[in-house]
Amino acid sequence: MNGGETVIVVRDLTKVYPAAARLFGDGGREKLAVDHVSFDVRRGEIFGLLGPNGAGKTTTIKMLTTLLIPTSGSASVLGLDAVRDPVKLRPRINLVSGGERGLYFRLTGRQNLEFFSDMYRVPRESKKAKIQYLLDLVGLTEAADVRVEEYSRGMKQRLHLARGLVNDPEVLFLDEPTLGLDPEISRETRALIRRLSEEGMTIMLTTHYMFEADELCDRLAIISEGVIKAMGSPYSMKESVRNDSIIEIEARELGEAQRKELSDLPGVSAVSIQFLEARQLARIVVDDAPALIPTVAALLENRKVISIRVDQPTLEDAYIKLVNGK
Amino acid sequence: MLEDITGVKASALVAMRSQFAVVGPVLWLVQILSTALFQMWFFVLVSDFAGDPGATPAYVALGNAVSALTYSAVYGVTMSAGAEKHIGTMATIMGTPTRMFYVFLGKGAYQSIIGMFTVTVSLGFASLFFGVDLSGANLVALAAVLLATCFAMVGFGMVIGSVGVYLRSSMILGSIVLYLGLLLCGVNFPISYLPWWLQPASYVFPLTFGVQAVRDVAAGAGLAEVAPLLAIMLSIGAAFFLMAYALFNYFERLALKRGSLDMF
Amino acid sequence: MIDLRAMKASFKQQSIHFFVDPQWVIPSIIAPFIFTTVTLFLFRHAGGDLLLYAVLGGGVLGMWGNTIHSSSWSIGYDRMNGTLEAIMVTPAPLSSVVFGRCLWNSFLGLLNALAVFIVAEFAFGIDVTVQDPLGFVVAMMATLLSLSVLGMVFGAFYVVTRASSAFFQILEFPIYVLSGAVFPLMNLPDWSRPFSYVIPATWGAEALKISTVAGHDSMGLGYYGALGLTGLTTVAFLLISLWLFTYLEGRAKVNGTLVRY
């Protein structure tokens, strides 16, 4: 982190999706997606927005990339207001969304990049060389003239990234960049993101993977139900659970009802349950593990408990505590 | 392989044509009714301008009214296969113990109801605005003829629809068949106008017999007089259903073997 | 407001999509092709200019068919493909992207015209000779442009919802009727005239007929009159579509309906 100028300024950003969102028929109920969110991102930083599905991450990133108009509050990128100055802002930023969609499958990788270069008015003289450079960068040179429909998931994701770079954006937005990728490809993708950051690009990404945020981000904000619950470096987040301990329970019949019961116990600040094949793994964030174990054990008497042990808190637990905590 | 995305554009194009994945039955009904009525009007105007005594406006109007059945009975049934693929439910259905043939039989029944409604409205429209005279028609014979036509046409639609279990091109086939009837089935002009080598093709389409039967009934024929045509339609209809049954099983097996169920 | 480079790139992109799997143009142009062929059968005994009239009208219907099916779907495709956001986030105006694609689609509609000419020439023995070749080409280009612009108007609605397809598809046949492409407008009832007059295809078809059929001028407009009206309606629809894009894009950005399929 170089502590440079602030390039993204978000103040009290709020988005309420209106009820009737369709031309024909009823669009359903109003929905508060982002609720008075504020943060700053400095030049050269990797800033992460971490939260579960439906937390408002994507909505926030869309408002910053001129794709969605906020209900209230303000968002400015590179000193340009995302609502009032989209025409000036768009050439200087780009957005890459994860997942398989978002490419023209009938076109080759190179044709995709050519099309988007034209959309960004990349100077004609340098267009060809630029595209070749990007193909090399993401390792798609050999597959450049193959239609995207023949690409593997990982190749598509790399092409997505290349597309996001055709206009040399000063700020790159990545919405769930490793969504649905296998671990190997996710790792490659993260390496590429880090490399872009080292070259000076400002990157804002969303993810619901804790370790990804931990590995990549200089700073992150944890968002849940449209509200920022915590913000800071991954290190400082971990600090927040330093004085807690964890009771980890392996059992065969744990469900949402137990999670609720456990959460309601005094001294418990958060509970997460991971559903494995035929068993569940509950992690309970508590202030004093030894004192609470009898109560917990009694509560779960008939739930086919396999083991109970005490563990050190991890970043994951910090996250759970911040998102699910009381 | 990621072949399911291969034809996004193609599926898109057809989803728009077929509508099943996107619009509900009401809009679908509005769509086929308006299409049928404007199509009738178009050919009536052409015929009026052409002044051909063998294909008067009333002749054309009646033909088009009967051919309105095609939209649901043939096209609707054919397209639903493609729509299943499009929304990805084909594999789900195949996973159930119900055979594909019966699933489509259900769709055929649904489309028949819409078809009978469309053809009734179209005939009413034709007699109200375009001089089709049904006053001398035996209503029982008319109903029998229309039901038989519908039956045979749904069978025809199922035969084409069965291809859709395996190939997405069935949608192209469906749209060709939809309009070919206007050219080949004596809808807009007598079959004798066609070049001799094309005329046998007319008799593959059940619509040809249906249009003829309705013309006969409108001219005053009773059940007895149209009985031969009815018999033809019922038998080719039955033949189409048998063929569809065999084809569905065949293509279902082929699709499972080649893994093209949800391949688009 | 119109970005020529984005238009060109979109035109090219659409053409690549076509060449990858050309059979899919069939569902879009089959109806006008069969309509025209049926018309030729009905006009057969009348012969001469009437047949030529039908051939020209049929060509326009073909362009129209492809416009309504492919152009109105232009954004729908991106919506389904998940590329709509990727386009929206670029500085290129969405309307230019759609315009480029619509041009290609109308151009492709010429395939139908070609098919009609071939049927006319070989199956019906109609001698297709053009009175004023230059005028014909100009009228053809004007018609093509006018239909592209109309495609843009329809395409704009997809920014808001995918359900637009059903709505516009309903318009296919009414416009075949109202454009009076293969029969004189005078044969239509009075109440429908105003609808006919606002459709650019009406005037494009008229200009084409004047340039081809000797002595044809059913509305007394003359070639330049018909061409002028084609241009006028085209400009009007262009302005309407640009406004619609601005308005509907704004709406989609408030409602968040850009990505939903």
Side-chain angles (χ1 to χ4, degrees):
Chain A
M1 213 191 330
N2 56 20
E5 63 176 307
T6 306
V7 289
I8 301 178
V9 180
V10 173
R11 290 290 173 270
D12 282 324
L13 196 64
T14 301
K15 180 66 191 178
V16 180
Y17 287 109
R22 287 157 58 184
L23 196 59
F24 308 109
D26 180 29
R29 224 171 285 168
E30 237 180 41
K31 186 173 167 272
L32 174 64
V34 173
D35 190 4
H36 293 87
V37 161
S38 302
F39 59 86
D40 294 330
V41 179
R42 287 184 286 272
R43 191 177 285 279
E45 235 183 352
I46 301 186
F47 182 83
L49 215 48
L50 176 70
N53 290 328
K57 305 187 296 286
T58 300
T59 301
T60 306
I61 231 167
K62 275 188 196 160
M63 288 191 277
L64 288 169
T65 50
T66 76
L67 293 175
L68 196 61
I69 293 172
T71 308
S72 65
S74 70
S76 84
V77 180
L78 298 161
L80 297 163
D81 188 281
V83 178
R84 283 192 304 269
D85 283 322
V87 178
K88 282 187 203 148
L89 178 56
R90 285 180 186 176
R92 299 173 64 187
I93 60 170
N94 212 324
L95 166 69
V96 174
S97 298
E100 298 225 19
R101 288 149 47 88
L103 294 163
Y104 292 101
F105 295 98
R106 290 288 175 109
L107 268 53
T108 65
R110 194 190 305 277
Q111 285 168 339
N112 266 285
L113 295 181
E114 278 172 0
F115 176 73
F116 283 103
S117 301
D118 287 331
M119 295 294 115
Y120 280 101
R121 309 185 136 269
V122 173
R124 283 177 219 271
E125 319 77 72
S126 56
K127 181 172 123 182
K128 218 173 153 183
K130 173 85 199 169
I131 289 172
Q132 193 52 55
Y133 166 78
L134 290 174
L135 286 166
D136 288 340
L137 180 75
V138 298
L140 285 176
T141 309
E142 269 175 46
D145 298 307
V146 174
R147 286 211 290 270
V148 172
E149 59 197 0
E150 319 236 336
Y151 280 23
S152 67
R153 241 165 217 246
M155 288 160 86
K156 282 182 193 157
Q157 191 55 30
R158 282 182 274 156
L159 185 59
H160 265 307
L161 274 170
R163 182 195 48 73
L165 300 173
V166 291
N167 62 323
D168 283 320
E170 291 169 61
V171 183
L172 181 62
F173 293 88
L174 303 166
D175 192 11
E176 305 270 5
T178 59
L179 189 71
L181 296 181
D182 64 44
E184 176 68 21
I185 300 163
S186 299
R187 204 155 30 228
E188 282 173 24
T189 307
R190 284 194 294 275
L192 189 59
I193 293 170
R194 217 173 298 115
R195 182 167 158 195
L196 292 170
S197 169
E198 279 158 13
E199 285 169 11
M201 194 175 284
T202 307
I203 293 168
M204 175 167 169
L205 60 87
T206 71
T207 179
H208 60 261
Y209 302 123
M210 187 72 223
F211 67 91
E212 183 164 288
D214 190 15
E215 196 184 313
L216 280 177
C217 299
D218 298 310
R219 281 192 314 127
L220 54 95
I222 290 178
I223 184 168
S224 173
E225 288 166 352
V227 178
I228 290 187
K229 304 271 180 169
M231 191 154 39
S233 66
Y235 176 79
S236 69
M237 298 269 172
K238 283 180 229 172
E239 283 294 286
S240 73
V241 283
R242 202 166 54 123
N243 296 322
D244 290 326
S245 54
I246 302 297
I247 301 175
E248 192 183 77
I249 298 161
E250 202 183 336
R252 292 201 188 277
E253 286 181 2
L254 293 183
E256 185 53 29
Q258 284 69 45
R259 201 189 67 79
K260 264 210 140 85
E261 280 175 8
L262 290 169
S263 304
D264 290 341
L265 291 177
V268 171
S269 52
V271 181
S272 70
I273 298 183
Q274 202 187 344
F275 293 90
L276 306 169
E277 215 156 294
R279 59 206 166 86
Q280 302 86 39
L281 204 61
R283 284 178 74 84
I284 310 170
V285 185
V286 297
D287 47 16
D288 183 359
L292 264 165
I293 284 179
T295 326
V296 170
L299 192 79
L300 299 179
E301 210 185 339
N302 296 320
R303 315 256 50 123
K304 300 199 175 153
V305 173
I306 301 165
S307 68
I308 298 184
R309 65 188 197 94
V310 176
D311 195 10
Q312 291 295 312
T314 64
L315 187 58
E316 191 89 39
D317 298 312
Y319 169 74
I320 302 283
K321 184 179 172 185
L322 290 162
V323 174
N324 293 343
K326 316 187 221 183
Chain B
M1 275 314 288
L2 295 150
E3 280 160 330
D4 47 334
I5 310 147
T6 304
V8 174
K9 158 142 190 179
S11 65
L13 230 153
V14 175
M16 169 194 80
R17 268 269 184 201
S18 71
Q19 300 306 335
F20 289 90
V22 179
V23 301
V26 175
L27 206 47
W28 167 236
L29 200 62
V30 169
Q31 192 181 335
I32 57 178
L33 268 181
S34 99
T35 304
L37 300 182
F38 274 97
Q39 178 190 305
M40 186 192 301
W41 194 15
F42 179 89
F43 288 114
V44 163
L45 284 163
V46 171
S47 139
D48 193 27
F49 183 47
D52 181 341
T56 61
Y59 180 95
V60 166
L62 186 138
N64 276 281
V66 179
S67 89
L69 255 177
T70 321
Y71 280 95
S72 43
V74 179
Y75 188 67
V77 172
T78 307
M79 288 299 131
S80 51
E84 293 278 1
K85 269 192 183 224
H86 172 63
I87 54 181
T89 45
M90 186 77 97
T92 319
I93 293 179
M94 283 238 200
T96 71
T98 313
R99 299 264 49 86
M100 198 58 97
F101 175 78
Y102 297 102
V103 175
F104 276 79
L105 209 54
K107 291 175 195 289
Y110 168 69
Q111 295 294 350
S112 301
I113 296 169
I114 296 183
M116 290 307 289
F117 178 74
T118 319
V119 78
T120 310
V121 173
S122 298
L123 277 172
F125 197 79
S127 61
L128 258 171
F129 297 102
F130 300 125
V132 171
D133 184 11
L134 292 172
S135 57
N138 176 337
L139 288 182
V140 177
L142 185 62
V145 158
L146 288 177
L147 282 169
T149 313
C150 186
F151 170 74
M153 284 172 76
V154 169
F156 187 55
M158 300 235 336
V159 168
I160 298 167
S162 68
V163 183
V165 175
Y166 183 58
L167 282 178
R168 62 191 163 110
S169 314
S170 72
M171 297 189 161
I172 299 177
L173 206 60
S175 53
I176 292 174
V177 168
L178 171 62
Y179 295 108
L180 220 48
L182 298 176
L183 189 63
L184 298 179
C185 299
V187 169
N188 288 301
F189 52 84
I191 293 171
S192 61
Y193 282 25
L194 292 168
W196 62 268
W197 51 267
L198 204 54
Q199 292 184 18
S202 301
Y203 297 100
V204 175
F205 292 79
L207 181 62
T208 304
F209 304 101
V211 171
Q212 189 52 52
V214 175
R215 289 198 198 286
D216 291 351
V217 171
L223 257 183
E225 283 109 286
V226 290
L229 280 171
L230 275 176
I232 293 178
M233 284 192 281
L234 291 177
S235 12
I236 59 171
F240 277 134
F241 274 101
L242 284 175
M243 206 158 119
Y245 183 79
L247 283 172
F248 265 108
N249 283 345
Y250 173 71
F251 282 123
E252 207 170 339
R253 232 172 303 134
L254 204 60
L256 287 173
K257 226 187 272 173
R258 303 274 173 88
S260 69
L261 268 191
D262 277 322
M263 167 180 146
F264 219 93
Chain C
M1 248 343 240
I2 291 176
D3 180 337
L4 283 177
R5 186 162 168 197
M7 254 180 83
K8 202 179 135 203
S10 308
F11 183 88
K12 187 178 161 201
Q13 180 203 36
Q14 196 75 353
S15 72
I16 297 171
H17 273 133
F18 168 72
F19 285 114
V20 168
D21 201 358
Q23 60 175 342
W24 290 96
V25 74
I26 295 174
S28 302
I29 62 171
I30 184 76
F33 175 71
I34 300 266
F35 275 37
T36 311
T37 313
V38 170
T39 305
L40 288 175
F41 271 107
L42 289 173
F43 284 0
R44 187 176 66 146
H45 76 286
D49 289 349
L50 206 53
L51 285 168
L52 194 53
Y53 191 94
V55 171
L56 292 172
V60 174
L61 292 190
M63 288 196 266
W64 169 245
N66 208 38
T67 294
I68 200 122
H69 288 288
S70 308
S71 298
S72 67
W73 177 245
S74 174
I75 290 298
Y77 173 60
D78 282 290
R79 185 178 272 285
M80 178 170 166
N81 205 18
T83 33
L84 186 52
E85 281 196 326
I87 294 185
M88 295 285 295
V89 87
T90 72
L94 194 55
S95 50
S96 298
V97 174
V98 175
F99 199 178
R101 292 178 184 171
C102 288
L103 266 181
W104 168 262
N105 293 330
S106 312
F107 178 72
L108 207 55
L110 288 175
L111 268 185
N112 175 77
L114 192 69
V116 168
F117 277 114
I118 289 170
V119 168
E121 188 81 44
F122 295 102
F124 291 88
I126 302 165
D127 181 25
V128 184
T129 39
V130 176
Q131 285 282 312
D132 171 8
L134 182 67
F136 177 82
V137 170
V138 171
M140 192 62 120
M141 302 298 272
T143 309
L144 203 141
L145 194 68
S146 72
L147 285 169
S148 309
V149 167
L150 209 52
M152 277 172 77
V153 173
F154 300 141
F157 287 92
Y158 276 87
V159 177
V160 180
T161 170
R162 65 190 166 145
S164 331
S165 67
F167 184 67
F168 292 117
Q169 223 182 332
I170 291 172
L171 287 178
E172 178 181 5
F173 291 92
I175 293 196
Y176 287 169
V177 173
L178 294 172
S179 68
V182 295
F183 44 78
L185 279 183
M186 298 309 136
N187 288 28
L188 285 169
D190 289 338
W191 61 263
S192 72
R193 299 276 167 79
F195 294 104
S196 301
Y197 294 156
V198 298
I199 303 171
T202 306
W203 309 114
E206 182 69 8
L208 275 173
K209 285 172 197 159
I210 295 173
S211 69
T212 315
V213 183
H216 173 90
D217 191 0
S218 65
M219 286 182 272
L221 290 166
Y223 174 76
Y224 291 104
L227 195 64
L229 282 168
T230 313
L232 197 69
T233 40
T234 304
V235 170
F237 277 106
L238 181 64
L239 293 176
I240 291 173
S241 74
L242 291 177
W243 175 80
L244 266 177
F245 267 103
T246 312
Y247 172 72
L248 293 174
E249 267 182 64
R251 238 186 95 153
K253 280 194 206 170
V254 170
N255 295 337
T257 51
L258 280 180
V259 234
R260 245 179 273 164
Y261 174 66

